């Protein structure tokens, strides 16, 4: 597998006018376009004898052309549409803009305006927009005819403000407004999400239908598709729960909170005793951990569609508030892109700016078939904080060039920006095996902001790796330019001393199950909002970017985590191996130096901590010199690719595999769980043996240990500490000729191994 490698693109050529003015597009390569803005027309002649009239404008440059939308029965239509022709697509020096009548049954030509592309003025992004002018229409002979078009024609780059809304000449042959809208670049924003905390305290004056039985009362709270219940309280008509129910609410907070007090009649039957509906817009937002005032709410008993009037009403006491002090987590805890609390009043100033230049991809794999050959219509999605960006789609290309640049404000350096590459399903048949149009994932890259040096431009190509049932596959490479600019170095350094999450997460923490539940529903809210935008950011794209399946069981991840753990302990094992070589005098010169250094530290113990810190400093200095010049890359060596393991990871939930395969995987899971069980049991045995030293489970062993402790305390009190330390050190470092055949600590290990544990009482 290829690694991250440096690239040398020609960034910002011609797009920077001065050293003092950093342009918005200085992290991408310049792409020149011929822009045509068709604003409106006037005094167009209606030519059809039937009286119908449907004017439109066709913009043609060489073999590339497109038309504006059709406006029926308007002699002074207004379009305000922009067309962009890439400089590599300019095959003719003549730009022809023709007014047509789409409803004309004979000749739809109404007149045209012709421009020489060599005479079109060039505009740089700092300039004001090109002025619109009226141009008179001419016939095919060049003679003046009735009607005028308001146009603007100029040469510009992708930094032009008209570029995102423009029709691109790369999209020639694509029709349909829905399809074209899905090809344009777009900036999305996640909805503002808050936690809604409902503290259900108690209820009074409940009236069950059957007074002869003991009630089993609980409260069911509903917010949209979220349903939570309190525990069941029995044998009282004034139950006390004092239980918190936490929901995910998204602005504009249109969905009401519905509280239902119900009586459990049977396992599958509940009786409604009362309900109340609370508008979430009216709920107070809490910014700290101070208690919210309690409030009594009247309960209305509803049967079917009719409400039964009673002389007095049942009531329920609750504390309800919107939690503004929490950060609502929608992405994975390992790749968080934002750590701010939900309430904007608690936001601190930004510490810098992140700039991302999405240059191009190379060597993409074909994702679907067109006319008997493979093709890919690729676009990129980048997510950081609440801001999502989507590049335009490059049609039918394995080396798409986007050259789009985006900017985010950074509030915490310990965050991650994610860039994903996808295939657009709206073109050339991107349906899955169920006939649904899905955007196929090509790969993604994560970059942690804290790994970037301030002010440096990182220009690298990143491998796009995708995990398939057949194994880990390289899908291509993406070229990116990244720059993190810090506005206040002091504020950024102070961030490392602050808690990772807002203080409410530590003052009133959620349980693990609550946290997973809230993250799932927060992600669902983001799915719904972004998929409802125009063009929509599809659900499978958002799921892939947010890592929604990271909590599912995966044997591959288990193996990977064991490999990571072993890698973390590798240096400790290397130190133990080196120390064993010193003790065995395998390197006599080094062992002599260790003796001298040990004597110095014992005679001057005040040097121990400075020496240790100086040692760590030199280690960091060594790593700093050898530090790679690119952000960390995907470690392909820890990804296990057993086909059956990968097939299990891609299996549906619940499983759709045959019973034989499921039985085999279940046995493998039992085997893995047995290994973990034995490991945990061994640690439990060690802990119980330590306890048995003090609790006299083994009277003889505890007696020996007590005599040892008393003798050691007297000897250490009489003998100076430096003498004890020197004797112990020289004993450990003694020459092999004075060693026993058994290890030095065999007596202690033998004694510890004979201590009892509680395994005798296990079945």
């Amino acid at each position: 597998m290829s690694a991250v490698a440096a690239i040398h693109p020609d960034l910002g050529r011609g797009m920077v006018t001065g050293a003092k003015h950093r342009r918005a597009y200085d992290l991408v390569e310049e792409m020149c376009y011929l822009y045509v803005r068709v604003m409106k027309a006037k005094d167009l002649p209606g030519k059809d004898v039937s009286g119908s009239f449907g004017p439109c404008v066709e913009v043609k440059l060489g073999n590339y052309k497109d038309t504006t939308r059709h406006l029926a029965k308007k002699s002074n239509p207004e379009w305000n549409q922009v067309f962009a022709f890439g400089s590599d697509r300019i095959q003719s020096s003549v730009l022809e803009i023709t007014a047509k009548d789409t409803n004309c049954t004979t000749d739809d030509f109404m007149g045209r305006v012709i421009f020489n592309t060599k005479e079109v003025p060039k505009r740089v992004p700092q300039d004001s927009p090109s002025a619109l002018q009226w141009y008179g229409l001419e016939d095919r002979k060049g003679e003046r005819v009735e009607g005028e078009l308001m146009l603007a024609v100029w040469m510009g780059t992708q930094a032009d403000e008209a570029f995102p809304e423009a029709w691109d000449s790369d999209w020639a042959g694509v029709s349909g407004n829905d399809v074209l809208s899905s090809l344009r670049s777009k900036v999305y924003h996640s909805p503002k999400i808050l936690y809604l905390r409902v503290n259900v305290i108690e209820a009074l004056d409940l009236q069950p239908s059957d007074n002869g039985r003991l009630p089993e009362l609980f409260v069911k709270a509903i917010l949209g598709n979220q349903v939570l219940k309190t525990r069941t309280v029995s044998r009282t008509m004034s139950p006390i729960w004092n239980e918190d129910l936490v929901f995910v609410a998204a602005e504009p907070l249109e969905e009401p909170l519905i509280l239902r007090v119900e009586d459990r009649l049977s396992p599958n039957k509940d009786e409604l005793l009362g309900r109340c509906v609370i508008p979430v817009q009216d709920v107070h937002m809490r910014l700290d951990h101070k208690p919210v005032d309690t409030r009594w709410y009247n309960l209305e008993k509803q049967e079917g569609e009719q409400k039964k009037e009673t002389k007095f009403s049942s009531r329920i006491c609750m504390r309800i508030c919107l939690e503004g002090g929490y950060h609502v987590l929608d992405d994975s805890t390992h790749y968080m892109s934002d750590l701010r609390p939900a309430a904007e009043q608690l936001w601190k100033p930004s510490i810098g700016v992140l700039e991302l230049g999405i240059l191009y991809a190379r060597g993409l794999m074909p994702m679907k078939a067109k006319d008997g050959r493979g093709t890919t219509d690729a676009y990129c999605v980048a997510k950081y904080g609440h801001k999502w960006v989507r590049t335009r789609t490059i049609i039918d290309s394995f080396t798409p060039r986007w050259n789009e640049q985006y900017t985010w404000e950074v509030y915490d350096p310990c965050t991650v920006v994610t860039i994903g590459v996808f295939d657009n399903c709206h073109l050339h048949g991107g349906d899955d095996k169920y006939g649904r149009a899905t955007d196929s994932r090509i790969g993604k890259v994560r970059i942690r902001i804290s790994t970037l040096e301030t002010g440096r431009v990182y220009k690298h190509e990143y491998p796009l790796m995708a995990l398939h049932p057949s194994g880990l596959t390289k899908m291509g490479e993406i070229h990116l330019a990244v720059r993190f600019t810090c506005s206040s170095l002091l504020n950024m350094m102070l961030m490392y001393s602050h808690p990772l999450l807002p203080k409410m997460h530590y003052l009133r923490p959620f349980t693990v199950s609550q946290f997973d539940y809230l993250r799932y529903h927060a992600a669902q809210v983001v799915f719904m909002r972004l998929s409802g935008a125009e063009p929509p950011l599809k659900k499978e794209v958002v799921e892939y970017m947010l890592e929604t399946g990271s909590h599912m069981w995966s044997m591959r991840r288990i193996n990977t985590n064991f490999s990571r753990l072993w890698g973390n302990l590798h240096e400790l094992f290397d130190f133990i191996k080196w120390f064993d070589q010193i003790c065995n005098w395998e390197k006599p010169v080094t062992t002599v130096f260790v003796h001298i250094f040990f004597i110095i530290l014992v005679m001057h113990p005040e040097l121990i901590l400075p020496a240790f810190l100086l040692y760590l400093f030199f280690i960091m200095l060594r790593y700093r010199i050898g530090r790679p010049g690119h952000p960390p890359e995907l470690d392909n060596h820890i990804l296990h690719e057993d086909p059956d393991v990968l097939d299990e990871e891609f299996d549906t939930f619940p499983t759709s595999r045959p019973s034989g395969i499921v039985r085999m995987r279940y046995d493998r899971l039992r085997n893995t769980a047995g290994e973990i069980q034995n490991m945990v049991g061994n640690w439990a045995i060690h802990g119980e043996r330590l306890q048995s030293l003090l609790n006299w489970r083994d009277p003889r062993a505890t007696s020996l240990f007590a005599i040892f402790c008393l003798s050691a305390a007297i000897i250490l009190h009489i003998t100076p500490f430096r003498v004890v330390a020197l004797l112990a050190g020289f004993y450990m470092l003694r020459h092999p000729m004075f060693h026993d055949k058994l290890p030095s600590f065999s007596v202690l290990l033998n004694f510890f191994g004979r201590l009892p544990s509680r395994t005798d009482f296990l079945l």
Side-chain angles (χ1 to χ4, degrees):
M1 300 295 180
S2 62
V4 175
I7 57 175
H8 304 283
D10 189 8
L11 301 184
R13 178 176 57 85
M15 305 179 75
V16 179
T17 57
K20 296 183 180 180
H21 301 281
R22 179 187 291 175
R23 298 302 312 279
Y25 269 64
D26 63 336
L27 292 184
V28 294
E29 297 175 334
E30 181 186 72
M31 300 176 66
C32 294
Y33 287 88
L34 172 64
Y35 288 95
V36 179
R37 180 182 291 275
V38 181
M39 178 59 70
K40 55 185 176 180
K42 66 178 181 180
D43 302 332
L44 294 179
K47 300 177 59 176
D48 190 48
V49 295
S50 63
S52 61
F53 185 51
C56 69
V57 173
E58 179 186 87
V59 181
K60 181 180 180 182
L61 180 62
N63 295 328
Y64 297 94
K65 64 180 179 179
D66 195 38
T67 59
T68 64
R69 59 186 179 275
H70 304 160
L71 300 178
K73 298 182 179 180
K74 289 187 177 181
S75 59
N76 298 316
E78 183 171 341
W79 296 280
N80 192 20
Q81 290 182 237
V82 181
F83 302 85
F85 298 88
S87 58
D88 56 338
R89 306 287 189 179
I90 299 178
Q91 304 171 347
S92 172
S93 60
V94 177
L95 172 65
E96 185 176 347
I97 304 173
T98 305
K100 294 185 175 183
D101 181 5
T102 57
N103 292 333
C104 185
T105 57
T106 55
D107 184 11
D108 60 356
F109 180 83
M110 301 173 63
R112 66 182 180 182
V113 179
I114 294 179
F115 292 89
N116 188 338
T117 57
K118 298 180 180 180
E119 299 176 357
V120 173
K122 186 174 183 179
R123 174 182 176 268
V124 293
Q126 287 94 343
D127 296 342
S128 300
S130 297
L132 292 160
Q133 300 182 35
W134 287 104
Y135 294 87
L137 297 178
E138 298 177 350
D139 59 15
R140 292 186 175 91
K141 297 179 180 180
E143 297 180 357
R144 183 72 171 82
V145 296
E146 184 181 359
E148 294 180 85
L149 293 177
M150 179 178 281
L151 308 170
V153 182
W154 71 95
M155 293 293 298
T157 66
Q158 76 270 33
D160 200 292
E161 66 274 4
F163 181 73
E165 61 177 301
W167 173 88
D168 196 323
S169 56
D170 291 337
W171 304 338
V174 178
S175 60
N177 292 332
D178 292 340
V179 176
L180 286 174
S181 66
S182 71
L183 304 180
R184 291 188 170 90
S185 59
K186 181 75 174 180
V187 176
Y188 305 84
H189 292 277
S190 298
K192 182 178 179 180
I193 307 177
L194 299 151
Y195 290 143
L196 175 66
R197 186 186 295 272
V198 182
N199 179 222
V200 184
I201 302 175
E202 60 178 328
L204 293 176
D205 302 328
L206 298 178
Q207 300 177 6
S209 59
D210 185 4
N211 293 324
R213 57 177 293 276
L214 295 176
E216 297 181 5
L217 305 174
F218 65 93
V219 176
K220 179 191 292 184
I222 304 171
L223 181 67
N225 61 349
Q226 304 172 64
V227 180
L228 293 175
K229 298 179 182 179
T230 65
R231 69 184 187 279
T232 301
V233 176
S234 305
R235 302 186 178 184
T236 178
M237 297 311 300
S238 299
I240 298 177
W241 295 282
N242 196 19
E243 189 172 339
D244 279 353
L245 305 177
V246 184
F247 298 88
V248 174
E251 290 189 348
L253 306 175
E254 297 175 342
E255 295 178 331
L257 173 66
I258 303 174
L259 276 300
R260 296 168 57 93
V261 181
E262 298 186 0
D263 182 11
R264 176 71 44 83
L265 301 180
S266 65
N268 297 320
K269 184 178 181 181
D270 301 322
E271 178 189 10
L272 176 65
L273 301 183
R275 68 190 295 270
C276 65
V277 179
I278 302 172
V280 180
Q281 301 98 319
D282 301 336
V283 175
H284 169 71
M285 180 185 294
R286 182 172 68 170
L287 303 179
D288 51 28
H289 63 285
K290 295 180 181 179
V292 179
D293 295 336
T294 60
R295 182 177 173 184
W296 288 94
Y297 296 86
N298 292 330
L299 296 175
E300 298 176 345
K301 188 168 183 179
Q302 182 178 2
E303 299 177 355
E305 298 296 329
Q306 298 179 354
K307 294 182 180 180
K308 184 178 178 181
E309 296 183 359
T310 58
K311 296 181 179 179
F312 62 92
S313 174
S314 304
R315 296 183 299 163
I316 186 171
C317 180
M318 295 184 293
R319 294 188 184 96
I320 304 178
C321 67
L322 290 167
E323 297 283 12
Y326 287 91
H327 167 67
V328 180
L329 200 67
D330 55 358
D331 45 11
S332 172
T333 54
H334 304 294
Y335 319 115
M336 292 185 291
S337 61
D338 188 19
L339 302 172
R340 293 173 294 171
E344 296 183 8
Q345 303 93 308
L346 301 178
W347 291 1
K348 296 180 180 179
S350 64
I351 62 170
V353 173
L354 173 67
E355 297 167 278
L356 174 66
I358 304 175
L359 303 176
Y360 55 91
R362 187 176 63 181
L364 296 184
M365 300 289 288
M367 302 302 296
K368 55 197 173 188
K370 173 190 176 184
D371 300 332
R373 62 180 179 85
T375 183
T376 298
D377 306 313
Y379 68 91
C380 284
V381 175
K383 192 260 182 186
Y384 183 75
H386 295 169
K387 181 179 176 181
W388 300 63
V389 298
R390 169 179 173 156
T391 67
R392 69 192 188 282
T393 299
I394 306 300
I395 297 177
D396 195 11
S397 175
F398 299 133
T399 57
R401 306 183 73 87
W402 295 287
N403 281 307
E404 299 184 26
Q405 183 170 337
Y406 299 95
T407 303
W408 291 267
E409 286 188 330
V410 177
Y411 293 86
D412 194 301
C414 302
T415 47
V416 177
V417 58
T418 304
I419 305 99
V421 184
F422 302 88
D423 176 69
N424 196 320
C425 69
H426 288 83
L427 302 166
H428 310 143
D431 295 351
D432 64 5
K433 61 182 179 180
Y434 301 106
R436 299 170 301 190
T438 58
D439 287 357
S440 302
R441 57 185 68 171
I442 298 177
K444 65 182 171 185
V445 175
R446 302 188 193 95
I447 301 175
R448 188 170 292 273
I449 309 304
S450 59
T451 63
L452 305 177
E453 297 180 6
T454 302
R456 176 182 171 183
V457 178
Y458 289 83
K459 299 169 288 184
H460 294 91
E461 63 178 21
Y462 299 81
L464 294 172
M465 311 302 298
L467 195 63
H468 298 108
S470 58
L472 187 65
T473 306
K474 181 181 177 183
M475 306 296 291
E477 298 171 349
I478 184 171
H479 293 220
L480 303 173
V482 185
R483 177 173 57 211
F484 170 57
T485 306
C486 178
S487 58
S488 174
L489 182 60
L490 178 61
N491 289 340
M492 184 176 67
M493 293 301 183
L494 289 176
M495 290 298 298
Y496 284 88
S497 64
H498 295 169
L500 188 64
L501 294 171
K503 62 180 182 180
M504 283 295 292
H505 287 267
Y506 307 96
L507 296 176
R508 298 198 63 179
F510 295 120
T511 64
V512 175
S513 58
Q514 275 184 313
F515 205 77
D516 291 340
Y517 173 86
L518 294 172
R519 178 180 174 245
Y520 169 79
H521 283 283
Q524 293 294 321
V525 171
V526 176
F527 298 160
M528 297 299 296
R529 292 295 178 87
L530 296 185
S531 62
E534 186 59 40
L537 200 58
K538 306 196 72 175
K539 181 179 180 181
E540 61 270 15
V541 175
V542 180
E543 287 180 343
Y544 185 56
M545 298 291 288
L546 294 182
E547 289 279 355
T548 56
S550 59
H551 65 287
M552 300 295 291
W553 161 262
S554 169
M555 180 65 75
R556 176 185 60 86
R557 291 195 182 99
I558 290 291
N559 296 332
T560 299
N561 290 335
F562 273 115
S563 299
R564 294 169 58 199
L565 181 60
W566 181 260
N568 293 333
L569 298 176
H570 182 68
E571 293 186 359
L572 176 61
F573 295 148
D574 287 345
F575 175 79
I576 295 175
K577 181 179 179 181
W578 173 83
F579 187 74
D580 185 66
Q581 293 174 348
I582 296 299
C583 294
N584 292 321
W585 288 72
E586 296 181 10
K587 299 178 180 179
V589 177
T590 306
T591 304
V592 172
F593 276 110
V594 170
H595 277 79
I596 297 173
F597 186 67
F598 174 70
I599 294 173
I600 294 175
L601 292 181
V602 171
M603 301 306 295
H604 300 279
E606 67 276 5
L607 297 179
I608 295 177
L609 185 59
F612 176 71
L613 296 177
L614 188 62
Y615 172 71
L616 293 180
F617 172 78
F618 281 113
I619 289 179
M620 291 184 287
L621 186 62
R622 186 189 70 179
Y623 282 127
R624 180 65 181 88
I625 295 175
R627 181 174 182 262
H630 56 76
E633 60 188 273
L634 177 68
D635 191 350
N636 303 321
H637 302 289
I638 64 174
L639 293 174
H640 297 262
E641 300 183 33
D642 183 5
D644 184 68
V645 169
L646 294 177
D647 183 72
E648 179 185 17
E649 186 168 344
F650 282 88
D651 191 8
T652 58
F653 189 83
T655 181
S656 58
R657 298 297 186 262
S659 59
I661 295 179
V662 175
R663 187 179 300 109
M664 181 270 294
R665 291 174 179 172
Y666 175 66
D667 293 338
R668 182 176 60 195
L669 177 61
R670 292 177 62 189
N671 183 57
T672 303
E675 295 177 359
I676 298 175
Q677 170 186 286
N678 293 335
M679 182 178 64
V680 175
N682 290 333
W683 283 106
I685 289 174
H686 295 328
E688 290 167 355
R689 285 174 175 172
L690 289 175
Q691 292 178 351
S692 66
L693 282 173
L694 305 176
N695 60 17
W696 295 85
R697 283 278 311 281
D698 186 340
R700 284 167 292 278
T702 305
S703 299
L704 290 174
F705 185 65
I707 294 172
F708 170 78
C709 291
L710 180 61
S711 304
I714 295 174
I715 294 174
L716 292 176
H717 178 70
I718 298 173
T719 309
F721 174 76
R722 294 179 181 178
V723 175
V724 176
L726 285 173
L727 292 176
F730 286 145
Y731 177 77
M732 294 179 62
L733 298 173
R734 68 191 185 278
H735 196 272
M737 63 183 298
F738 301 108
H739 285 187
D740 298 329
K741 294 183 179 180
L742 295 177
S744 301
F745 295 99
S746 60
V747 176
L748 297 178
L749 294 177
N750 291 338
F751 178 78
F752 186 76
R754 292 177 178 274
L755 295 174
S757 66
R758 297 183 61 84
T759 53
D760 308 335
F761 306 99
L762 298 179
L763 295 178

